[in-house]
């Protein structure tokens, strides 16, 4: 459990993405300040690099992340 290494530059964490019904705070606590290995954005970042993370991908969009990773494997 530690802060995500992407934190300083992550558009989600830095409120550059639209809030999803006020869930952003919960996600930040759960993923960004908790376990980033479960964050959909982080999964893509780790495997494909920062440039491949879709601008509108939220931390909880695991299915979409899995699909993207499959397409690039
Ligand atoms: S856990 Fe995900 S959303 Fe949070 S800072 Fe890291 S990459 Fe961004």
């Amino acid at each position: 459990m530690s802060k995500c290494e992407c934190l300083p530059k992550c558009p989600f964490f830095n409120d550059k993405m639209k809030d999803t019904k006020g869930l952003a705070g919960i996600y930040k606590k759960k993923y960004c300040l908790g376990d980033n290995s479960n964050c959909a954005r982080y999964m893509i970042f780790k495997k494909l690099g920062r440039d491949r993370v879709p601008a509108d991908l939220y931390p909880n969009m695991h299915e979409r992340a899995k699909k993207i990773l499959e397409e690039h494997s």
Side-chain angles (χ1 to χ4, degrees):
M1 297 287 249
S2 59
K3 281 185 196 166
C4 176
E5 68 199 71
C6 299
L7 229 149
K9 286 187 177 168
C10 182
F12 174 75
F13 192 81
N14 293 289
D15 298 324
K16 300 269 167 19
M17 291 168 70
K18 228 172 125 203
D19 196 347
T20 47
K21 303 178 199 105
L23 288 172
I26 295 168
Y27 292 162
K28 282 181 191 178
K29 217 169 163 184
K30 183 172 173 184
Y31 301 108
C32 314
L33 304 171
D35 185 2
N36 65 0
S37 65
N38 281 320
C39 169
R41 294 187 64 86
Y42 191 75
M43 288 175 189
I44 309 264
F45 164 81
K46 221 34 197 176
K47 294 229 167 97
L48 304 175
R50 190 184 301 277
D51 294 348
R52 294 290 182 88
V53 184
D56 59 348
L57 184 76
Y58 284 86
N60 63 322
M61 294 181 170
H62 301 118
E63 286 306 314
R64 190 170 162 204
K66 264 185 224 157
K67 237 184 219 168
I68 294 169
L69 289 174
E70 274 167 23
E71 280 165 12
H72 290 90
S73 64

